Amino acid sequence: QEQLVESGGALVQAGGSLRLSCAASGRTFLNYAMGWFRQAPGKEREFVAAINWGGRNTDYSDSVKGRFTISRGDAKNTVHLQMNSLKPEDTAVYYCAAKSDAYLSRVYSRGSEYDLWGQGTQVTVSS
């Protein structure tokens, strides 16, 4: 059974950095597009970043553009989210998601397009 497992969440001060990782297991994820979403208390889940299965195309929400970087591991079954210049408003549970049968060059920014989700990892940014 395939699954996604996130790691790297922590408590960090504003201005600091964190690197989240998502490891996929259970099957080959070579043609999966990947994404990161987050959900803060009392708010809806929102898109953060996405990458195509080839690893060359990315997309970011306006709120994180220029501060966060999404990348895929060499084996394509891992995805990372490097988060720099963190702000208190970045505090949320961060979820990794995978979309099967993805088109080579396309990135996906809607949660409804993804068919596999991780359990989430907590990121807390103190002011």
Side-chain angles (χ1 to χ4, degrees):
Q1 181 177 358
E2 62 268 20
Q3 62 176 352
L4 302 175
V5 179
E6 302 98 333
S7 62
L11 170 64
V12 63
Q13 288 188 333
S17 298
L18 280 177
R19 179 178 170 88
L20 303 184
S21 295
C22 173
S25 63
R27 63 178 297 172
T28 301
F29 282 77
L30 289 178
N31 62 335
Y32 276 58
M34 306 291 289
W36 286 95
F37 293 77
R38 67 187 182 186
Q39 187 167 20
K43 295 187 177 181
E44 294 186 353
R45 182 183 62 195
E46 65 173 354
F47 167 72
V48 176
I51 190 166
N52 74 310
W53 75 260
R56 289 178 178 246
N57 299 331
T58 59
D59 190 22
Y60 299 90
S61 68
D62 289 341
S63 62
V64 307
K65 198 171 295 182
R67 299 187 298 122
F68 291 11
T69 303
I70 187 171
S71 62
R72 300 192 76 134
D74 291 339
K76 297 293 191 292
N77 65 339
T78 56
V79 64
H80 307 287
L81 185 68
Q82 178 66 41
M83 306 187 295
N84 299 328
S85 302
L86 283 162
K87 305 175 181 180
E89 50 264 44
D90 294 318
T91 295
V93 177
Y94 283 71
Y95 297 92
C96 173
K99 192 259 184 292
S100 61
D101 297 321
Y103 289 105
L104 173 61
S105 61
R106 184 175 171 186
V107 291
Y108 299 82
S109 60
R110 292 183 297 180
S112 59
E113 296 177 303
Y114 289 84
D115 44 31
L116 183 64
W117 292 82
Q119 82 289 349
T121 185
Q122 176 70 46
V123 172
T124 303
V125 184
S126 63
S127 58

